[in-house]
Amino acid sequence: MFRDPGKQSCESVDAQGWLPVTLVSGFFGAGKSALIRHLLGHRGSQRWALLVSDRSERLEEICAWDTKGVQPFYFGEALVELMGRCVGCSFRQNFTEAVLAIAQLWKFDRLIVECSGLTEPEFVVELFNDAMAEGGALASVACLDQMVTVVDGETLWENLHSSDQLRDRGLSSGADDNRSISGLLVDQIEYSSLLVLNKLDRVPLTRQIRLTRLLEHLNPEATVLRGTYGAVPVESVLAERPCRQEPVSFQPGWLKMVEGMSISPAVCDTQWTTGLFQATRPFHPGRFWEMIKEDWPGVLRVRGYFWLASQPDRCLVWAQTAGVCHLEWVGNWWAATPEIEWPGDEEFRRTLAKDWTVEFGDRRQVLAFIGYRVDLEECFHRLRTCLVTPSEALMGEAEWTNFDEPVVLTGQEGWLSDEDEERD
């Protein structure tokens, strides 16, 4: 259902006819509620809707606040109340219908969405982007202004270095949720337009500076606000996105490096190092497996694409935080894909040509590193020793596939040896 111009009101929508939406995410205990409480207290005379995508007791807490001029809905209950439908379908459909239902009440100046602590912002933003691309109803009634992630300054550094999975702390969304604490934290940080570093009353100044630099390196395009009890400049959180008619895009630190752009934090700090490892020859699977099991002290983030001699067709992703290493197969290289299946646009061809070599096509190693007090040259030396040697390269792909394959990809569980797989 699209907006009927006759039903629009200057008191309930912005000048373009969209309901402005501000998404607030963050891990459990980061202070999302404190930030929202702060926003509510400084909204003036505007009428806001509040959609809470969390556990039921959160709605009761919010309803206990002074919410005059604010109408709270619980994600799920909002659908039952507003749409009269079952809430047993997918998150994607439920979330979209909840926002549509609230927007089509035609009486709110803004919608604040508090995401669950398990939510990955990128997934939620894709709902708005897809609606724009496909002409969906959501794009006609609502516009995403800010994707805000609240970060707990007291626990961020320790959680980044933790190897715990969500289920280890009783926080997973189900039996098949194998995400790690550190991986989820980094995803929430990297795919946001604004970061709120919270609880700084409990953090020494030197550590505050270190955490700020960390956020600036992980997400150089995001604005970083520092606060206590969620108290930050409200106008910054509610700022209108400049290009509201275009999809929301993010360029995390690792992606900027992979695409050939440098990270430029606001303040230069010699204790922080970034670098891009590049090579065309594949990794030898045995040497790579031995290397990947070693410690990487000081390395806080690794992300990028690589290939193994034993699996020459596969494009693999290495995603590592200080605490967890995650590797997976994301598809085949274009060099291993029939040309008839390639996209037909010229922009794709020009981009592909930049990375194409006569010997290996688009297959390559391109890995972005972000580290604190780390010798990246030593890290890169270790990686170079894992590449196939010139004599091994001359053997050719047919012989490479005969190399011992000590590892298999198993999603977010990382790598398992053949012996581990047999035990499982």
Side-chain angles (χ1 to χ4, degrees), residues 37 40 50 57-68 72:
R37 187 182 295 112
L40 294 180
L50 179 62
E57 57 265 25
R58 289 287 303 107
L59 181 66
E60 297 174 2
E61 177 187 339
I62 290 174
C63 288
W65 301 346
D66 177 13
T67 56
K68 184 178 180 181

Side-chain angles (χ1 to χ4, degrees), residues 2 5 16 56 69 80 83 132 141 151 166 197 220 238 255 262 284 301 313 324 330 335 361 384 386 409 418:
F2 292 84
Q16 289 76 28
S56 57
V80 174
M83 303 294 292
M132 282 189 173
V141 299
V151 182
L166 291 168
L197 184 57
L238 302 181
L255 184 57
S262 61
H284 185 284
R301 185 62 164 150
D313 291 346
V324 174
V330 294
R384 284 190 288 269
C386 299
L409 291 166
D418 292 334

Side-chain angles (χ1 to χ4, degrees), residues 28-30 150-157 196-199 211:
F28 296 104
V150 185
V151 182
D152 186 343
E154 187 177 23
T155 63
L156 173 59
W157 195 259
V196 175
L197 184 57
N198 199 29
K199 299 186 180 181
L211 295 176

Side-chain angles (χ1 to χ4, degrees), residues 9 21 26 53 69 73 95 125 139 144 207 229 298 300 314 356 412:
S9 166
V21 179
S53 176
F73 300 96
F95 183 88
V125 171
L144 179 60
R207 188 162 187 169
Y229 301 112
L300 301 180
R314 290 186 166 190
W356 194 271
Q412 283 202 283

Side-chain angles (χ1 to χ4, degrees), residues 87-100:
V87 297
C89 50
S90 70
F91 172 88
R92 184 184 184 91
Q93 180 178 347
N94 281 358
F95 183 88
T96 300
E97 290 185 344
V99 175
L100 282 171

Side-chain angles (χ1 to χ4, degrees), residues 27-28 55 118 155-172 179-182 185:
F27 194 59
F28 296 104
R55 297 168 181 169
L118 297 176
T155 63
L156 173 59
W157 195 259
E158 286 71 22
N159 280 333
L160 181 67
H161 287 77
S162 172
S163 61
D164 288 353
Q165 293 187 327
L166 291 168
R167 62 189 176 201
D168 295 331
R169 301 189 189 180
L171 299 173
S172 67
R179 291 177 296 171
S180 66
I181 298 290
S182 60
L185 279 173

